[in-house]
C-alpha cells in the first residue's frame, strides 16, 4: 500500500530521529528527522488554523530553501495540495496559475514578494506569507514563515486527518510553450512509487546518503529526483538557494555529498569552471543528468572524475523518473535514456496507435504507478494525453535491439525539410562533438524551397566562458548555406566556422540532415530548468534576413 507523503517524517522520527534530514547549504542550519516531524506538524496545525483543509491549494513562489520542503510535508499532512510556482515567470503568468489552481494561501520569498502581490490581486489568495532569502537567514532575519511556525508550537500533538494515498498532493504546471500552462496532478502514491524506483538506480538510496539539491525545487527533476525519495529512504538533502559551480563543488566537499541531480548546462558549467579540481568531490558516487540530452564531452568529463554518471528521462506527468541509463552504458549507448524503471512500461507507436518495429520512430507512451492521473480542470487535455491507461508523452522515440530507448525529439520540434524528417537531437549531438561548439540548438527555419531549413544556433566555446547558465544571449552573425551571405560583426569568422561545422557534419550525417544555415550567438535562451526555448529561437531566427550558408 502507498504511504502518504506527510507521514514520511514521522516514520524516520521513530527510526532515526537524530539523523539529518535537511541542511541549509547557505547557512549550515541542520534539521534532524525528529525536528522535521515536529516542525512540519506544527506548520500543519498553523495552516489548518488559517483555514487550509483537505483538497485546498497552497502556492509556493520561492527560491530554493529547506522551508520549501517543510511546507510540502506540512501541506501533505492536511491532505491539501502544494502548487509549485516557477519564480522566473512574470506576474501575469503566475496570476493565471493562481486563478487556475484556486490557491488560497501563497508563500513567497521576500525578494519575490512584490511579484507575488501583483499576481495575487485578482485571485482567491487570502494571505501572502514570506520566506527569507539566504542572506536574510544568515543575518537572522525572521519572515512570515517563522512567525507562522512559532504560532503553533506547543507540546500537544494535533489530530491530523487520515489522508487518501491516491489524492493529489502536488500541482506542477507545465511550461505552456504551446498554449496555456496545464497543472499536472501528482498524488501521494505517485511520489511514493517514484521514491521506490530510486533504489534501482546505480547504488540505490539509503539513510547514509547525502543529496545536493541545487536545481530549482519548483521543477519536478529537482523535487522528485533524490530530494523527496531521499526523505522516503531517510537520506539527507542539502539545499542551496541558487547554482554556482564553485559553490556547488564546495558544498559537495563540505557535506560529503553522495548523490546529485542537475541539468546538462549545469554539469557543463561545473566541468568548465574547474571547480572539481579545487574541491574534493570524491564522495559523489552518482551524478544524474536530466531535462535534456547531455553532450558526450560533458559525460566524458564527469566519468574522468570517477563519478558514476547516468542520464534519466521523465516528465512532470511521470513524477520525473520514468527510465534510467546505467552508467556502464553512457559511452556505448550515448544519447539513450535507458530502460524503463521498475513497474513502468513503455510503448513506441505510430499514428494509428500500433507498436512500431525495433529501430523505427514513433510516439512514446508511458504507463505505471508514478504516472499522473491527469491535469487540473483540463478534461480536454486529459482526453488527448491520457488514453486507455497510457500517457501519450508527445516525445518521438525508438528502441534499439538491446531494449534501450532513444528520444528522437518532441513531435513539435521535428524539422521537415524537402519531405524528409530531421530530428534535431541527432544533429545537435553530432555538432557537440566539435571542439568549437559549447552549446547548440537545431531548429527549422522557414524556407521557400525546402519548407523548412535545418538551422543550427551555435554558441562558440570561447563565447560561453563566463556566461551564466540559462542566460539568453543575442545573435551575432548568421550564415546561409544557400547564399554564402554573412551579416553582422565577425562575418569572416562566422563564415569560416560555418564551413568547418558543415564539413564536420557531412562526415557524420546524411546530407539532408546537415544544417543549411548557421546562427552564432553568445548564449541560448533557456528555461529555469535548463531547457532551450526553441519557440523563442524560431521566432528570432525566422526574422533574420542574413544567414551563414554552407
Amino acid at each position: 500500500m502507498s504511504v502518504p507523503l506527510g507521514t514520511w517524517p514521522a516514520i524516520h522520527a521513530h527510526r532515526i530521529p537524530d539523523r539529518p534530514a535537511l541542511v541549509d547549504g547557505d547557512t549550515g542550519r541542520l534539521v534532524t528527522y525528529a525536528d522535521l516531524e515536529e516542525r512540519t506538524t506544527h506548520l500543519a496545525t498553523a495552516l489548518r488554523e488559517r483555514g487550509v483543509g483537505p483538497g485546498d491549494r497552497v502556492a509556493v513562489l520561492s527560491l530554493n530553501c529547506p522551508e520549501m520542503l517543510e511546507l510540502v510535508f506540512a501541506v501533505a499532512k492536511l491532505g491539501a495540495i502544494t502548487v509549485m510556482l516557477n519564480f522566473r515567470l512574470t506576474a501575469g503568468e503566475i496570476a493565471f496559475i493562481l486563478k487556475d489552481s484556486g490557491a488560497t494561501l501563497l508563500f513567497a520569498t521576500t525578494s519575490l514578494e512584490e511579484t507575488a502581490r501583483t499576481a495575487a490581486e485578482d485571485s482567491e489568495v487570502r494571505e501572502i506569507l514570506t520566506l527569507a532569502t539566504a542572506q536574510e537567514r544568515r543575518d537572522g532575519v525572521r519572515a512570515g514563515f517563522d512567525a507562522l511556525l512559532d504560532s503553533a508550537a506547543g507540546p500537544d500533538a494535533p489530530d491530523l486527518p487520515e489522508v487518501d494515498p491516491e489524492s493529489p498532493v502536488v500541482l506542477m504546471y507545465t511550461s505552456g510553450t504551446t498554449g496555456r500552462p496545464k497543472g499536472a496532478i501528482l498524488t501521494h502514491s505517485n511520489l511514493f512509487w517514484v521514491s521506490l524506483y530510486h533504489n534501482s538506480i546505480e547504488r540505490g538510496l539509503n539513510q547514509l546518503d547525502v543529496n545536493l539539491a541545487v536545481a530549482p525545487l519548483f521543477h519536478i527533476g529537482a523535487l522528485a529526483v533524490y530530494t523527496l525519495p531521499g526523505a522516503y529512504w531517510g537520506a539527507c538533502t542539502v539545499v542551496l538557494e541558487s547554482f554556482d559551480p564553485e559553490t556547488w563543488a564546495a558544498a559537495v566537499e563540505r557535506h560529503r555529498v553522495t548523490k546529485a541531480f542537475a541539468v546538462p548546462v549545469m554539469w557543463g558549467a561545473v566541468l568548465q569552471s574547474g571547480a572539481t579540481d579545487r574541491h574534493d568531490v570524491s564522495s559523489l558516487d552518482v551524478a544524474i543528468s536530466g531535462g535534456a540530452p547531455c553532450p558526450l564531452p560533458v559525460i566524458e568529463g564527469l566519468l574522468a572524475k570517477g563519478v558514476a554518471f547516468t542520464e534519466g528521462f521523465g516528465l512532470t506527468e511521470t513524477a520525473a523518473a520514468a527510465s534510467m541509463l546505467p552508467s556502464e552504458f553512457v559511452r556505448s549507448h550515448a544519447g539513450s535514456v535507458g530502460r524503463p524503471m521498475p513497474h513502468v512500461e513503455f510503448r513506441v507507436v505510430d499514428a494509428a496507435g500500433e507498436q512500431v518495429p525495433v529501430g523505427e520512430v514513433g510516439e512514446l507512451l508511458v504507463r505505471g504507478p508514478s504516472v499522473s492521473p491527469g491535469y487540473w480542470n483540463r478534461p480536454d487535455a486529459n482526453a488527448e494525453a491520457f488514453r486507455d491507461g497510457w500517457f501519450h508523452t508527445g516525445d518521438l522515440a525508438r528502441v534499439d535491439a538491446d531494449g534501450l530507448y532513444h528520444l528522437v525529439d518532441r513531435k513539435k520540434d521535428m524539422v521537415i525539410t524537402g519531405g524528409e524528417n530531421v530530428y534535431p537531437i541527432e544533429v545537435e549531438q553530432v555538432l557537440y562533438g566539435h571542439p568549437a561548439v559549447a552549446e547548440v540548438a537545431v531548429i527549422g527555419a522557414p524556407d521557400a524551397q525546402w519548407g523548412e531549413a535545418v538551422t543550427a544556433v551555435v554558441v562558440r566555446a570561447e563565447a560561453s566562458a563566463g556566461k551564466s547558465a540559462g542566460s539568453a544571449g543575442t545573435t551575432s552573425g548568421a550564415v546561409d548555406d544557400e547564399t554564402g551571405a554573412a551579416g553582422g560583426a565577425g562575418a569572416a569568422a562566422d563564415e569560416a566556422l560555418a564551413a568547418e561545422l558543415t564539413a564536420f557534419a557531412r562526415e557524420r550525417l546524411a546530407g539532408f540532415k546537415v544544417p543549411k544555415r548557421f546562427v552564432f550567438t553568445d548564449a541560448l535562451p533557456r528555461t529555469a530548468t535548463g531547457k532551450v526555448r526553441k519557440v523563442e529561437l524560431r521566432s528570432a531566427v525566422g526574422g533574420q534576413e542574413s544567414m551563414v550558408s554552407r
Side-chain angles (χ1 to χ4, degrees):
M1 185 182 80
S2 300
V3 180
L5 182 67
T7 65
W8 298 0
I11 292 171
H12 298 306
H14 291 295
R15 292 182 58 250
I16 46 174
D18 298 325
R19 293 289 300 175
L22 299 172
V23 174
D24 187 333
D26 296 297
T27 69
R29 185 177 69 88
L30 184 149
V31 176
T32 67
Y33 272 100
D35 295 334
L36 183 63
E37 169 59 10
E38 181 180 14
R39 287 169 63 87
T40 55
T41 299
H42 288 326
L43 276 172
T45 302
L47 290 171
R48 183 168 58 183
E49 290 172 352
R50 277 170 162 73
V52 178
D56 289 335
R57 278 77 67 200
V58 176
V60 179
L61 178 68
S62 177
L63 305 177
N64 279 7
C65 60
E67 290 81 358
M68 284 182 74
L69 298 172
E70 291 178 331
L71 280 169
V72 170
F73 285 113
V75 171
K77 285 177 182 289
L78 295 171
I81 304 166
T82 301
V83 182
M84 290 296 202
L85 299 171
N86 181 340
F87 58 74
R88 295 182 182 176
L89 296 178
T90 65
E93 291 168 320
I94 294 169
F96 170 82
I97 295 173
L98 292 176
K99 292 177 187 176
D100 188 70
S101 65
T104 56
L105 197 61
L106 172 59
F107 287 84
T109 304
T110 55
S111 60
L112 302 167
E113 186 178 2
E114 184 178 346
T115 299
R117 294 197 178 282
T118 301
E121 285 177 355
D122 187 24
S123 73
E124 297 179 43
V125 172
R126 300 189 300 261
E127 185 177 8
I128 298 175
L129 295 165
T130 55
L131 296 158
T133 64
Q135 185 58 56
E136 288 170 336
R137 296 196 302 276
R138 285 191 288 265
D139 293 339
V141 175
R142 293 175 61 76
F145 173 91
D146 305 292
L148 178 71
L149 184 61
D150 291 345
S151 71
D156 298 330
D159 182 21
L160 295 175
E162 184 173 338
V163 176
D164 179 2
E166 301 305 322
S167 65
V169 68
V170 170
L171 265 184
M172 282 194 167
Y173 278 75
T174 60
S175 59
T177 54
T178 58
R180 61 191 177 111
K182 302 185 293 290
I185 299 168
L186 295 177
T187 67
H188 296 260
S189 185
N190 291 152
L191 296 174
F192 166 79
W193 278 99
V194 84
S195 297
L196 293 187
Y197 300 166
H198 275 67
N199 244 5
S200 69
I201 300 173
E202 297 295 323
R203 297 168 176 84
L205 185 61
N206 61 56
Q207 67 192 50
L208 301 180
D209 277 308
V210 180
N211 164 52
L212 181 56
V214 66
L217 285 167
F218 64 71
H219 179 247
I220 191 61
L223 187 67
V225 177
Y226 283 138
T227 301
L228 288 183
Y232 177 79
W233 291 106
C236 172
T237 287
V238 179
V239 182
L240 286 174
E241 183 177 83
S242 59
F243 171 71
D244 168 80
E246 197 72 26
T247 305
W248 180 92
V252 172
E253 180 177 32
R254 182 181 310 114
H255 300 286
R256 306 306 296 159
V257 169
T258 60
K259 304 287 191 288
F261 164 84
V263 296
V265 68
M266 294 166 68
W267 288 123
V270 166
L271 285 174
Q272 187 178 43
S273 71
T276 54
D277 297 323
R278 294 185 290 275
H279 297 277
D280 178 9
V281 297
S282 59
S283 62
L284 186 64
D285 60 13
V286 181
I288 293 183
S289 181
C294 194
L296 189 56
V298 174
I299 295 173
E300 294 283 2
L302 286 164
L303 291 175
K305 300 292 181 184
V307 177
F309 183 83
T310 180
E311 290 192 83
F313 164 71
L315 303 99
T316 304
E317 294 90 340
T318 67
S323 67
M324 196 63 61
L325 178 69
S327 58
E328 63 263 30
F329 293 143
V330 293
R331 285 193 181 97
S332 60
H333 291 76
S336 170
V337 295
R339 299 186 179 102
M341 302 294 272
H343 309 290
V344 176
E345 300 174 71
F346 281 3
R347 291 184 69 207
V348 180
V349 302
D350 59 22
E354 298 297 323
Q355 190 152 328
V356 302
V358 169
E360 290 193 13
V361 173
E363 183 181 5
L364 179 65
L365 276 54
V366 183
R367 180 168 68 180
S370 58
V371 175
S372 166
Y375 299 113
W376 186 259
N377 292 334
R378 289 295 300 274
D380 54 334
N382 290 338
E384 180 181 350
F386 299 89
R387 285 178 271 151
D388 302 320
W390 292 88
F391 170 56
H392 293 243
T393 66
D395 285 307
L396 297 172
R398 61 179 175 82
V399 60
D400 64 25
D402 295 320
L404 294 166
Y405 287 78
H406 300 254
L407 292 186
V408 176
D409 232 310
R410 294 291 293 171
K411 273 184 174 181
K412 62 183 176 59
D413 287 338
M414 183 176 69
V415 180
I416 303 177
T417 180
E420 297 281 2
N421 293 342
V422 176
Y423 304 110
I425 286 177
E426 182 182 7
V427 183
E428 290 164 358
Q429 289 287 17
V430 166
L431 293 177
Y432 267 123
H434 193 284
V437 175
E439 296 181 78
V440 61
V442 170
I443 59 174
D447 185 272
Q449 180 178 358
W450 303 103
E452 288 184 301
V454 179
T455 302
V457 184
V458 175
V459 178
R460 297 179 183 81
E462 64 269 22
S464 69
K467 295 289 181 184
S468 61
S471 62
T474 55
T475 55
S476 58
V479 182
D480 190 297
D481 193 27
E482 302 290 316
T483 66
D494 291 345
E495 178 75 25
L497 182 53
E500 191 174 334
L501 293 176
T502 299
F504 182 82
R506 281 178 177 159
E507 292 177 359
R508 295 161 174 81
L509 293 168
F512 67 88
K513 299 179 183 179
V514 175
K516 291 181 170 61
R517 301 175 180 177
F518 289 86
V519 177
F520 298 97
T521 185
D522 293 333
L524 299 177
R526 292 183 180 273
T527 67
T529 55
K531 294 182 180 179
V532 176
R533 295 183 182 273
K534 289 195 172 182
V535 171
E536 290 183 17
L537 285 182
R538 281 189 283 267
S539 176
V541 170
Q544 291 199 25
E545 295 182 358
S546 60
M547 301 275 178
V548 178
S549 160
R550 297 282 19 108

